């Protein structure tokens, strides 16, 4: 019997009549934690690895019988083994490597030429195998390319940073050339603001900051930034738990701009010519660096023209109400603004992208200027609008490919098809003049799309939260399915008594618009019983929390953490309220200067509306939990609505936005730190606490300073309120895989919502035995 089948058999012995919160319930819950549940499913995703020079790709197929590598040739509509697994296993075994056809000792192919050769990495050895006669040769594995190096597209050059200066050297070997000489620790080239995460991991004050270089396609030039941190304000993190040979706590000082800070690190764009070694200073304004690295100056905000003569960059002003597209002449540094967009609330930077062309001289721009996120075509040089490409009460999600010659664009969008979850992504094609809109993925499901290099084919994994995923190869010409690649297998989960989460829709606070969510049930669910409700919240305006498909994702917002909690005797609810993305600008804009809203009207409305439909939901026992922005929202909920939410677990919460990263906060709360900041700070309302609150934070949190939780704790102490506090040493931002925390969260809900004493000292097996 396999380990997975044994787990199913053990689960199946649980009686539905067992009491909630018992030792057996804890054991059942543990079996559904992400690192265990992942063993009970397969085929939920597919990673297409494109082979250079065409549209062929390979992927790794995992099933109950093992793993196989599959080769797909889209033009020939063929799918089959990438190689002879048995012969390769025998060839490796002959060289002393333990291998079987169904369990080859590697997870990926470093290089692969179908029917000719492959190279894989096994431990510290690189194995090259000829696929004609299946002979394998081992050698020391070459070092993985450092993120401190940036190779040119043609493979001839390597740009790297040393002692805060830019160097270039031939990739084939040879002496490096120093391109700058005036770099310093507070005014360096090619990297950005160092994160304390990197300081801790690297053990130095400087850390190992990845190099930031964007090469032109012709490899003649590259761009980078010089970052001036001389006036940046700093925070301090204490690394309190140290190795026995050095027990003294270590302090890490780091740049961390807060909302309203007038002095921050500033990044200046520079271009380097490889042949002449000349440095060009573009005529564009410097940008404030509002987070680690060079954020928000991210790699995706820079585009080179095909001939390498022009660099396009998206420029974000603080507060994100003003975004601009600049074009820079690489030879001279002369620059001009092509497009400028302003918004009454914010332009969501997570989804703003421009794409351009050197032929028709057009720029594709995504905008919410008509109230929904749509595509627009601008004339390249004059910056004048040619036409709106898409329109309607639905939202474009992602531009995947533009064929300027054919005059078409492939993109994903949601909300256009009637009577479907508007968050489901579908693939569309449309002409650039706005005609001929074509739905290419008609199935009512969420479609995860990967295009082939030519754009002629799409790998489409689609499913819903209650139907298994199916992965197919499609034609992007008409959407027809050319091949089925795999289907998700939920059989072991279903055999364990698991039931898929149940999607629902309720009316939002306006009484008109639908909000969407899911309910998660225990495997021994009994509809005649009354269940307390656990409301899982995030509420950050840049993303969603409600899952649309089932995956083995182990993160803080994994369906499997929710399933484990449900097994203890709860029904878990997830819903996305107003202020979250992928709907209208009006829906999203509720969050502006109003993060304290957190969509809680929809969360409480969902509880009430669902309880009116289902007698098994107990509205007198409602708890809420979440991490990061969800940690803020969960504490906000129990403080703002103390008669509704009885229990809250708040993890790594940004409880006072005046002490949080300016890049994220200013986007939604505005640059001016006015009275609304104080009013929406959780410590301001500490005196309203009635229920049971559990605050959890990590001492090395590089994203949300632990001081935020300390300050809320201080306010609660001053208000003479009882609460629980847990600080996890040596953790960064988040700890969803920490067994101790997972158990403590279980205990808190069992004790305070079920009214039971948890099994004393229950120990959850760690996903990493070395950390047990």
């Amino acid at each position: 019997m396999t380990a997975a089948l044994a787990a199913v058999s053990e689960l199946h012995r649980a009686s539905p009549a067992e009491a909630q919160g018992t030792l057996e319930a804890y054991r059942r819950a543990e079996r559904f934690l992400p690192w265990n549940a992942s063993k009970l499913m397969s085929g939920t995703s597919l990673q297409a690895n494109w082979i250079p020079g065409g549209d062929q790709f390979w992927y790794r197929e995992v099933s109950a019988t093992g793993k196989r590598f599959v080769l797909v040739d889209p033009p020939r509509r063929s799918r089959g083994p990438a190689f002879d697994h048995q012969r390769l296993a025998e060839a490796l075994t002959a060289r002393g490597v333990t291998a079987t056809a169904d369990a080859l000792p590697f997870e990926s192919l470093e290089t692969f030429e179908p029917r000719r050769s492959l190279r894989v990495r096994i431990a510290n050895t690189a194995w090259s195998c000829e696929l004609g006669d299946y002979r394998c040769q081992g050698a020391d594995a070459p070092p993985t390319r450092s993120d401190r190096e940036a190779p040119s597209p043609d493979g001839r050059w390597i740009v790297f940073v040393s002692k805060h200066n830019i160097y270039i050297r031939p990739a084939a070997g040879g002496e490096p050339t120093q391109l700058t000489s005036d770099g310093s620790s507070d005014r360096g080239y090619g990297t950005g603001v160092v994160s304390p995460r990197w300081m801790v991991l690297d053990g130095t004050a400087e850390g190992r900051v990845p190099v930031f270089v964007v090469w032109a396609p012709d490899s003649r030039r590259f761009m980078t930034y010089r970052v001036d941190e001389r006036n940046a304000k700093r925070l301090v993190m204490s690394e309190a738990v140290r190795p026995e040979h050095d027990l003294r706590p270590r302090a890490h000082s780091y740049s961390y701009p807060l909302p309203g800070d007038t002095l921050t690190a500033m990044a200046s764009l520079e271009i380097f010519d490889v042949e002449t070694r000349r440095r060009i200073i573009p005529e564009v304004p410097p940008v404030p660096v509002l987070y680690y690295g060079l954020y928000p100056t991210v790699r995706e905000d820079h585009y080179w023209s095909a001939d390498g003569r022009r660099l396009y960059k998206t420029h974000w002003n603080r507060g994100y109400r003003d975004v601009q597209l600049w074009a820079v002449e690489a030879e001279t540094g002369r620059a001009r603004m092509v497009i400028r967009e302003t918004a009454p609330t914010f332009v969501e930077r997570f989804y703003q992208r421009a794409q351009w062309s050197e032929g028709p001289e057009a720029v594709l721009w995504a905008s919410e200027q008509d109230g929904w996120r749509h595509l627009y075509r601008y004339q390249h040089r004059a910056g004048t609008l040619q036409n709106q490409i898409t329109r309607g009460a639905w939202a474009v999600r992602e531009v995947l490919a533009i064929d300027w010659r054919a005059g078409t664009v492939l993109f994903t969008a949601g909300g256009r098809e009637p009577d479907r979850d508007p968050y489901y992504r579908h693939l569309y094609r449309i002409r650039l003049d706005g005609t001929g809109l074509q739905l290419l993925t008609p199935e009512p499901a969420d479609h995860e799309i990967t295009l082939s290099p030519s754009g002629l084919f799409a790998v489409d994994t689609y499913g819903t939260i209650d139907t298994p995923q199916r992965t197919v190869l499609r034609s992007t010409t008409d959407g027809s399915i050319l091949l089925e690649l795999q289907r998700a297998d939920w059989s072991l989960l279903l055999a364990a008594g698991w039931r898929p989460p149940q999607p629902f829709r309720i009316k939002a606070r306006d009484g008109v618009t639908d909000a969407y969510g899911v309910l998660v049930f225990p495997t021994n669910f009994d509809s005649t019983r009354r269940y307390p409700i656990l409301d899982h919240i995030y509420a950050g305006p840049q993303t969603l929390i409600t899952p649309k498909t089932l995956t083995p994702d182990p993160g803080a917002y994994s369906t499997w953490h929710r399933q484990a909690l449900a097994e203890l005797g709860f029904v878990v609810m997830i819903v996305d309220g107003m202020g979250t993305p992928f709907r209208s600008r009006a829906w999203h804009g509720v969050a502006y200067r109003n993060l304290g809203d957190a969509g809680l009207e929809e969360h409480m409305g969902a509880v009430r509306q669902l309880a009116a439909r289902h007698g098994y939901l107990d509205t007198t026992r409602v708890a809420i939990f979440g991490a990061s922005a969800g940690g803020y929202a969960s504490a906000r909920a129990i403080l703002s609505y103390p008669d509704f939410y009885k229990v809250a677990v708040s993890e790594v919460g940004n409880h006072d936005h005046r002490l949080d990263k300016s890049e994220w906060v200013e986007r939604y709360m505005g640059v001016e730190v006015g009275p609304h900041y104080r009013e929406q700070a959780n410590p301001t309302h500490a005196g309203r606490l009635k229920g049971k609150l559990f605050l959890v934070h990590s001492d090395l949190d590089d994203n949300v300073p632990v001081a935020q939780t300390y300050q809320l704790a201080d306010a609660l102490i001053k208000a003479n309120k009882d609460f629980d506090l847990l600080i996890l040493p040596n953790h960064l931002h988040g700890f969803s895989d920490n067994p101790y925390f997972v158990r403590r969260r279980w205990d808190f809900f069992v004790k305070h919502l079920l009214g039971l004493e948890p099994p004393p000292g229950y120990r959850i097996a760690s996903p990493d035995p070395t950390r047990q």
Side-chain angles (χ1 to χ4, degrees), residues 276-326:
T276 65
R277 306 296 198 251
R278 189 166 63 96
R279 180 167 65 177
I280 301 98
I281 310 297
E283 300 169 346
V284 294
V287 291
V289 183
L290 302 179
Y291 199 55
Y292 308 123
L294 275 162
Y295 210 82
T297 304
V298 296
R299 205 172 301 273
E300 292 78 10
D301 284 335
H302 301 82
Y303 309 86
W304 283 95
S305 62
D307 60 10
R309 294 181 179 180
R310 276 176 294 280
L311 173 71
Y312 298 82
K313 73 176 296 287
T314 307
H315 178 90
W316 298 89
N317 283 314
R318 287 185 70 170
Y320 297 89
R321 297 175 67 186
D322 180 352
V323 60
Q324 305 155 14
L325 179 67
W326 286 75

Side-chain angles (χ1 to χ4, degrees), residues 481-670:
I481 294 176
L482 307 176
L483 284 174
E484 179 169 281
L485 302 177
Q486 71 178 19
R487 288 181 183 250
D489 184 355
W490 292 358
S491 58
L492 293 178
L493 285 169
L494 295 170
W498 171 83
R499 61 169 61 198
Q502 176 182 305
F504 66 79
R505 69 172 72 180
I506 54 100
K507 290 300 178 185
R509 69 189 72 177
D510 61 7
V512 177
T513 314
D514 287 334
Y516 294 77
V518 300
L519 293 176
V520 180
F521 300 93
T523 52
N524 61 355
F525 176 72
D526 181 350
S527 63
T528 66
R529 300 178 65 171
R530 299 268 287 171
Y531 288 84
I533 303 163
L534 300 185
D535 180 1
H536 192 187
I537 192 169
Y538 177 73
Q542 81 280 10
T543 191
L544 302 174
I545 188 174
T546 306
K548 300 304 170 185
T549 58
L550 190 73
T551 71
D553 174 31
Y557 301 102
S558 168
T559 297
W560 300 108
H561 278 296
R562 299 159 180 157
Q563 185 66 50
L565 281 163
E567 295 302 322
L568 301 175
F570 306 105
V571 170
V572 182
M573 183 190 79
I574 311 100
V575 66
D576 288 294
M578 283 188 168
T580 51
F582 307 136
R583 304 288 288 274
S584 67
R585 168 177 271 176
W587 176 280
H588 198 187
V590 166
Y592 186 60
R593 293 171 63 94
N594 191 31
L595 286 176
D597 178 278
L600 288 168
E601 291 286 348
E602 281 69 47
H603 283 256
M604 294 185 295
V607 170
R608 295 184 181 109
Q609 293 175 52
L610 291 169
R613 302 175 197 172
H614 309 297
Y616 52 77
L617 296 175
D618 185 352
T619 60
T620 68
R621 294 185 292 168
V622 181
I624 190 167
F625 68 103
S628 198
Y632 165 75
S634 54
R636 181 80 178 175
I638 200 169
L639 296 175
S640 298
Y641 304 99
D643 295 322
F644 187 89
Y645 289 105
K646 304 300 194 300
V647 181
V649 176
S650 169
E651 309 157 34
V652 293
N654 47 316
H655 298 293
D656 189 333
H657 295 122
R658 294 169 295 183
L659 189 57
D660 200 27
K661 51 202 166 292
S662 59
E663 189 283 323
W664 188 83
V665 173
E666 288 179 355
R667 191 186 322 163
Y668 306 117
M669 293 289 280

Side-chain angles (χ1 to χ4, degrees), residues 179-249:
L179 299 182
T180 66
S181 58
D182 56 345
S184 61
S185 61
D186 57 3
R187 199 160 177 246
Y189 292 90
T191 59
V193 172
V194 63
S195 164
R197 173 188 299 252
W198 300 328
M199 295 179 184
V200 171
L201 295 177
D202 197 44
T204 69
E206 296 183 357
R208 296 187 59 81
V209 187
V211 66
F212 185 98
V213 163
V214 181
W215 280 93
D218 61 5
S219 299
R220 290 183 57 196
R221 300 181 179 94
F222 64 88
M223 62 123 304
T224 189
Y225 279 91
R226 187 179 193 185
V227 179
D228 186 346
E229 293 187 64
R230 289 174 295 181
N231 295 317
K233 294 186 177 181
R234 307 179 77 81
L235 292 182
V236 176
M237 170 191 291
S238 177
E239 187 181 356
V241 179
R242 302 277 299 148
E244 286 191 14
H245 68 271
D246 183 14
L247 291 175
R248 292 177 183 272

